[in-house]
Amino acid sequence: IDASCLTWEGQQFQGKAAIVEKLSSLPFQKIQHSITAQDHQPTPDSCILSMVVGQLKADDDQVLGFHQTFLLKSFQGAWVCTNEVFRLALHN
């Protein structure tokens, strides 16, 4: 929905068009995910808060860890992701 928000590696994108544009611009052709852990909680306003930790491999790059948190909201009979935060697990 247009009120949805994505934070990708610290950059914020608001609204369906901006989120689709960002996801479409990602440079890889293929990606594989391996989920290590996931936690889900109901919220007082009937949403679902989820956190996923795992590893991903994009194209021929090295395997990297990632963290993803998102909020799902019931909207017109379907579940919609209204908020999402994604970070690679990089250590300096």
Side-chain angles (χ1 to χ4, degrees):
I1 59 176
D2 284 332
S4 293
C5 185
L6 166 68
T7 301
W8 184 276
E9 291 293 322
Q11 292 182 301
Q12 191 168 331
F13 303 89
Q14 182 86 36
K16 182 179 176 181
I19 292 169
V20 168
E21 182 179 341
K22 173 58 183 173
L23 295 177
S24 298
S25 75
L26 295 174
F28 52 83
Q29 297 298 311
K30 63 181 179 177
I31 189 161
Q32 297 173 307
H33 293 87
S34 175
I35 296 173
T36 305
Q38 54 185 315
D39 297 294
H40 312 281
Q41 296 179 351
T43 66
D45 55 348
S46 301
C47 294
I48 299 172
L49 176 65
S50 295
M51 183 183 76
V52 178
V53 177
Q55 295 179 318
L56 59 83
K57 180 169 176 50
D59 294 330
D60 295 323
D61 292 345
Q62 68 182 15
V63 174
L64 296 169
F66 74 93
H67 305 272
Q68 186 175 18
T69 303
F70 52 96
L71 185 68
L72 299 173
K73 182 176 179 74
S74 181
F75 182 75
Q76 297 179 351
W79 288 99
V80 176
C81 183
T82 59
N83 299 80
E84 180 177 356
V85 178
F86 178 88
R87 284 274 186 175
L88 291 171
L90 302 176
H91 303 281
N92 294 332

